[in-house]
Amino acid sequence: MKIYRKIVFLLLTIVVSTYGVYAQESIDTLKLPEVMITERYNNREIRSSAPVQILSGDQIRYLHTLQLSDAVKHFSGVTIKDYGGIGGLKTISVRSLGAHHTAVTYNGVTITNVQTGQIDIGRFSLDNVEQVSLYTGQNDQIFMPATAFASASSLVIQNIKPQFDKGERINGKASVKAGSFGLFNPSLSTNIRLSNRLAITYAAEWLTSKGEYPYLLHYGNKGDSTSLERRNNTDVDNLRLEGALFADFSANTKGDLRAYYYQSERGLPGATIFYNTKNYSQQRLWDRTFFVQGNMEHIFSRKWIVKGNAKYNRGYLRYLDPAYQGAGGKYEDIFNQQETYGGVSVLYRAFERLSFSASSDLSSATMHAERKNFTTPTRLTSRSVMAAKWIGEQVMATTNLLYTHTFESARNGEAADNRSKLSPYFSISVKPFAETDLHLRAFYKNSFRLPTFNDLYYPAVGTRDLKPEDTHQLNAGITYASLLENNSDSRFSVTLDAYRNQVKNKIVAYPGSNLHVWTMVNVGKVIITGMDLSAEGIFSLKDQVQLFLGGNYTFQSALDMSDPSKSTYKHQIAYTPRHSGSGRAVLQLPWLDVGYTLLWSGERYSNNYNGKEFRMKGYSDHALSVSRDFPTCFGSIDLQLEALNLLDKNYEIVRNYPMPGRSFRINASFTF
């Protein structure tokens, strides 16, 4: 009955959504002094002074993705910690700096988690996403909230902005995905226009899966005995509801207001255990997130623009282990966190090619726990930044200075120390030859990662005097793009970046006895050197036949340089492969589209001590899809069939957490 109730609820939301109103957000790039022209995504990647990787909605369609984490795996320099299955925790680390150094921005406002500092990117759907961008270092745009300047890298999610044909009042998309392991995933998004100035949008999605899949358990090295087992307690049940109100108050003033609700219940399967597979984990995790965010922008003149942002966020997390071997017979934790955020940004165009900006943010975050004598900490964070940008015919440069100050307090017990930091940034891109689309670029950035509330206050784990991480990034690269044979339909681009990162007082989180409790380790100093290589091309083979090819390669050396006397000195940081990459190909035919993707990783270690007992084998993951559109008088129907993990390998990204083997998925959508 539980499933039927949710189906009825989803149908009701579909009916209710038809009474909403949504208007296209008015964007005129010429009105924004900082923006020169409207560019293709590929051009932006080539021209940027710091590495940026962009996946459009059309590209994501062929990447065999169900969640945001599936798409992000195709970015170079990215390591995803994936504990297997749809419901497994998924976090992103860019250039081995850790998940805490990667901000996740959703429609212009940063998503935060003061408890863990890590965002589970597996919870984000790609059904209504226009593009996903990864900025390493910093975005070239300087008209942003101060918080957007704070992280070493940023993963930016931008939802589709609705567009209406002349006289059109409503459009949208309904889709359903179904597949192996009991996957069922219906969704709906609708856009309705009330007037030329006011509109709303509404989206609803439900995802459920039993998640149980077979895997081969190896008892030792190659040639030793094996057993065929089944992964248990891997079910997941997610519900996502979103709504947005857009308003064009005048030709120079616009704003939007968004509401987001997400709830999830999932099983935590736990690590595989030799000769004890029947006694599987019974741990459960409940998660609820609600936030409201809005922004308003006013153009005073060609020289002055002001923008304000605000957000209220509330989160709930419940963990239960009913098989806990303790006096109470179970282990349960319930945490609540809430955050209030506000910020103002000002952009001033002093001259035609020179712009300045100033931004200031203030946020207050509190965490509560249903534990006796819990500390109940609060952190008030103030960030202010001054930035400048120069755009010339062949040179683009940006610089900024960010000041961060925190005020720590606690209702019970001792609070952590207050912190303050100045963080500089500079980047430059040079085009040596006017007629050749070749760019040389470089950037330097200093960033500041505060310990999370779990780091500081979690019982038996938190340490009040834990030092914050201080990160220095240095990058130098070259980008090139060209049309092929003067054919505007065929083009090729390549980017190559070398980098060196230094992290002092690095805080590393490892899963302890279960996925909810983490052990915090300060490894002192880490030196990371590496290289990212990306190439992609679009080739027009003949009329109505196109071939898209893309690939990434990453080399990373992330070494513990803390203490020469320790056994881990100059050893590779855990779960960081030296070699990894991805590839993708799409063949577009008049009657059919065929897509292929590849993910691969070399050997890595599950411990900071690189002994052979901790060495993990490399892996590769291949997927194939076929799809076709069917135009109708009512709209367009799109059908897609996917085959995932074609080689049927239960490889492990995290030790003792095997991934699903071969599976199949069918996607059907109707755009109206």
Side-chain angles (χ1 to χ4, degrees):
M1 292 301 294
K2 181 179 180 182
I3 293 179
Y4 293 117
R5 287 198 301 268
K6 292 206 170 183
I7 293 176
V8 171
F9 176 73
L10 187 61
L11 291 175
L12 287 174
T13 62
I14 292 174
V15 174
V16 173
S17 70
T18 60
Y19 293 95
V21 183
Y22 188 30
Q24 179 184 0
E25 183 179 8
S26 175
I27 294 182
D28 181 356
T29 56
L30 295 178
K31 287 185 178 180
L32 298 179
E34 187 193 346
V35 181
M36 294 197 337
I37 56 174
T38 300
E39 303 177 292
R40 288 194 184 102
Y41 300 144
N42 179 263
N43 292 346
R44 201 183 313 166
E45 295 174 88
I46 297 300
R47 294 172 58 90
S48 63
S49 60
V52 54
Q53 302 173 73
I54 302 173
L55 289 173
S56 66
D58 290 337
Q59 291 174 311
I60 291 172
R61 177 188 174 197
Y62 298 104
L63 292 181
H64 312 109
T65 60
L66 182 66
Q67 302 163 312
L68 175 62
S69 55
D70 299 325
V72 172
K73 291 176 182 178
H74 290 272
F75 288 140
S76 62
V78 165
T79 302
I80 300 292
K81 280 188 176 181
D82 190 334
Y83 293 87
I86 297 173
L89 178 68
K90 298 167 179 65
T91 60
I92 175 176
S93 172
V94 179
R95 293 184 171 182
S96 301
L97 292 176
H100 304 84
H101 285 277
T102 304
V104 179
T105 300
Y106 194 72
N107 294 309
V109 180
T110 301
I111 296 173
T112 57
N113 185 326
V114 293
Q115 181 182 355
T116 67
Q118 302 181 95
I119 304 300
D120 181 6
I121 62 174
R123 82 184 204 195
F124 295 100
S125 168
L126 292 169
D127 193 65
N128 196 37
V129 168
E130 179 182 18
Q131 71 177 56
V132 177
S133 309
L134 178 65
Y135 295 92
T136 303
Q138 198 162 288
N139 193 334
D140 278 333
Q141 303 292 334
I142 62 171
F143 190 38
M144 305 185 298
T147 303
F149 292 82
S151 298
S153 58
S154 298
L155 182 64
V156 178
I157 309 163
Q158 185 65 50
N159 280 0
I160 295 173
K161 296 180 175 67
Q163 298 179 357
F164 298 94
D165 294 332
K166 185 176 181 180
E168 188 178 38
R169 308 283 308 175
I170 181 171
N171 59 40
K173 179 181 178 181
S175 67
V176 61
K177 302 179 181 72
S180 303
F181 319 129
L183 171 67
F184 181 62
N185 178 207
S187 65
L188 172 82
S189 60
T190 57
N191 311 313
I192 307 173
R193 178 169 57 182
L194 262 185
S195 67
N196 292 331
R197 294 189 179 275
L198 183 66
I200 64 171
T201 185
Y202 184 81
E205 180 181 25
W206 177 41
L207 185 150
T208 183
S209 174
K210 293 181 179 178
E212 296 181 357
Y213 54 88
Y215 69 97
L216 194 64
L217 183 60
H218 295 267
Y219 295 88
N221 298 320
K222 186 176 181 180
D224 291 340
S225 62
T226 61
S227 65
L228 184 63
E229 307 293 343
R230 177 167 290 273
R231 206 79 165 110
N232 295 295
N233 197 38
T234 53
D235 62 295
V236 60
D237 195 312
N238 298 341
L239 176 67
R240 175 181 61 89
L241 301 173
E242 292 187 68
L245 170 66
F246 283 71
D248 291 331
F249 299 102
S250 68
N252 295 325
T253 306
K254 61 183 179 181
D256 64 75
L257 182 67
R258 297 177 183 269
Y260 177 98
Y261 175 76
Y262 170 85
Q263 70 174 35
S264 172
E265 179 186 351
R266 70 185 88 173
L268 302 178
T272 56
I273 304 174
F274 292 158
Y275 310 108
N276 193 26
T277 56
K278 303 303 179 183
N279 186 22
Y280 56 84
S281 167
Q282 300 179 43
Q283 300 164 27
R284 308 292 297 177
L285 192 67
W286 291 263
D287 179 19
R288 292 199 300 266
T289 300
F290 170 77
F291 64 76
V292 177
Q293 68 182 50
N295 76 79
M296 182 173 290
E297 179 180 302
H298 180 71
I299 302 174
F300 286 96
S301 67
R302 287 283 298 175
K303 288 184 175 292
W304 291 95
I305 303 178
V306 176
K307 178 165 57 178
N309 299 279
K311 180 178 180 179
Y312 173 76
N313 178 79
R314 193 174 186 90
Y316 167 88
L317 182 71
R318 179 192 174 204
Y319 166 80
L320 175 65
D321 183 359
Y324 178 69
Q325 302 298 315
K330 69 175 183 178
Y331 186 92
E332 184 176 18
D333 255 334
I334 297 177
F335 293 96
N336 290 275
Q337 56 178 299
Q338 57 183 359
E339 181 184 20
T340 305
Y341 158 87
V344 176
S345 304
V346 178
L347 178 68
Y348 171 61
R349 184 183 183 185
F351 304 100
E352 183 180 357
R353 300 186 181 278
L354 180 63
S355 300
F356 297 94
S357 73
S359 302
S360 185
D361 295 349
L362 186 65
S363 65
S364 176
T366 302
M367 184 174 75
H368 304 267
E370 296 189 11
R371 282 171 167 260
K372 186 177 181 180
N373 298 323
F374 183 70
T375 305
T376 311
T378 296
R379 173 178 293 165
L380 183 66
T381 305
S382 171
R383 292 186 176 96
S384 298
V385 64
M386 297 287 292
K389 180 177 180 180
W390 167 269
I391 300 179
E393 293 293 338
Q394 294 178 243
V395 177
M396 178 172 66
T398 64
T399 185
N400 67 257
L401 184 63
L402 172 70
Y403 177 70
T404 304
H405 195 101
T406 66
F407 304 88
E408 307 280 352
S409 61
R411 184 177 301 175
N412 302 305
E414 179 186 0
D417 294 335
N418 298 335
R419 304 287 181 178
S420 61
K421 183 78 165 67
L422 279 171
S423 304
Y425 171 82
F426 175 77
S427 69
I428 186 170
S429 174
V430 179
K431 185 180 181 182
F433 312 106
E435 302 301 323
T436 303
D437 204 3
L438 174 73
H439 297 259
L440 305 177
R441 65 187 181 191
F443 82 80
Y444 165 78
K445 183 169 186 176
N446 174 228
S447 58
F448 178 54
R449 200 279 273 187
L450 289 162
T452 67
F453 281 175
N454 272 2
D455 297 338
L456 297 170
Y457 303 107
Y458 197 89
V461 177
T463 305
R464 298 292 195 277
D465 57 356
L466 192 64
K467 296 179 180 179
E469 295 182 359
D470 188 26
T471 302
H472 299 267
Q473 297 172 267
L474 187 62
N475 183 96
I478 182 171
T479 68
Y480 175 75
S482 176
L483 298 178
L484 300 178
E485 299 179 355
N486 296 321
N487 184 346
S488 61
D489 292 330
S490 298
R491 55 188 182 271
F492 170 79
S493 65
V494 60
T495 66
L496 175 64
D497 287 276
Y499 57 88
R500 180 180 177 87
N501 301 333
Q502 179 176 313
V503 185
K504 296 180 180 178
N505 304 318
K506 183 173 177 61
I507 304 168
V508 179
Y510 294 103
S513 57
N514 56 64
L515 294 182
H516 183 63
V517 179
W518 295 77
T519 300
M520 309 310 301
V521 179
N522 191 319
V523 299
K525 182 179 180 181
V526 176
I527 301 294
I528 304 162
T529 56
M531 178 190 72
D532 291 336
L533 173 65
S534 299
E536 64 179 40
I538 299 177
F539 308 94
S540 183
L541 304 182
K542 61 179 183 178
D543 290 344
Q544 296 184 332
V545 178
Q546 280 194 328
L547 175 65
F548 172 82
L549 297 174
N552 299 313
Y553 166 74
T554 295
F555 167 78
Q556 291 186 92
S557 172
L559 304 181
D560 179 1
M561 306 295 290
S562 304
D563 186 349
S565 65
K566 291 186 177 180
S567 60
T568 59
Y569 184 66
K570 289 189 176 182
H571 283 217
Q572 186 87 343
I573 295 298
Y575 295 111
T576 303
R578 291 185 180 271
H579 306 278
S580 61
S582 67
R584 56 192 185 274
V586 177
L587 180 62
Q588 294 182 331
L589 303 169
W591 63 92
L592 193 71
D593 293 343
V594 181
Y596 165 79
T597 59
L598 164 69
L599 294 169
W600 66 272
S601 173
E603 291 184 344
R604 60 249 184 262
Y605 295 89
S606 61
N607 193 286
N608 281 351
Y609 175 71
N610 297 169
K612 63 179 182 179
E613 66 271 25
F614 299 112
R615 184 184 299 135
M616 298 180 64
K617 296 179 180 179
Y619 65 85
S620 63
D621 188 322
H622 307 257
L624 187 67
S625 68
V626 292
S627 60
R628 182 175 179 179
D629 290 329
F630 298 90
T632 71
C633 59
F634 302 103
S636 176
I637 298 175
D638 179 38
L639 297 178
Q640 185 179 54
L641 179 63
E642 300 173 297
L644 312 174
N645 195 354
L646 292 173
L647 300 184
D648 197 26
K649 298 294 185 180
N650 297 116
Y651 60 88
E652 295 179 354
I653 297 178
V654 177
R655 181 176 289 277
N656 298 326
Y657 288 85
M659 300 292 288
R662 186 184 300 116
S663 62
F664 301 93
R665 193 163 63 215
I666 184 170
N667 308 329
S669 65
F670 175 56
T671 303
F672 56 91

